[in-house]
Amino acid sequence: MRHLGWLLIALAVTAPGCGPSVKQERIEIKAPSASSPLAEATSLLQRYADGQPLTSEATSFPALVERVRKEDPAKADILQAGFADLQKATAAARPAKAKEILAKLRGGAK
């Protein structure tokens, strides 16, 4: 039994050096570029058009509208009115309303 213990200790000490060496590599991870506020709003509206429910992110609508306003004041006005309409709409009507707002933002009249 004592010999088995010494054998295990000898194996534990010599085992780490027996395998192939590990190649170290440096991997750079780039942070995603910040998207435009308008792209963020469009993405949000697309999710609503696809049926996602309106949740706590609605509290960020005014800040998002203000960020879009710095980029495109006319589209910010469309968003401001559209977000207000979305919040008033029923869950069943929300996807159609989101699609309507998206069409206005993309230049289609409705």
Side-chain angles (χ1 to χ4, degrees), residues 21-71:
S21 64
V22 176
K23 181 181 176 188
Q24 292 185 3
E25 291 184 39
R26 179 173 290 232
I27 299 173
E28 283 189 46
I29 300 175
K30 295 181 181 180
S33 62
S35 65
S36 75
L38 187 57
E40 184 181 339
T42 302
S43 173
L44 192 58
L45 287 167
Q46 186 60 55
R47 290 195 304 259
Y48 296 143
D50 292 340
Q52 177 179 315
L54 188 68
T55 58
S56 63
E57 76 279 355
T59 59
S60 68
F61 288 168
L64 181 56
V65 168
E66 288 311 308
R67 290 193 345 253
V68 171
R69 191 169 305 286
K70 293 175 187 174
E71 190 178 287

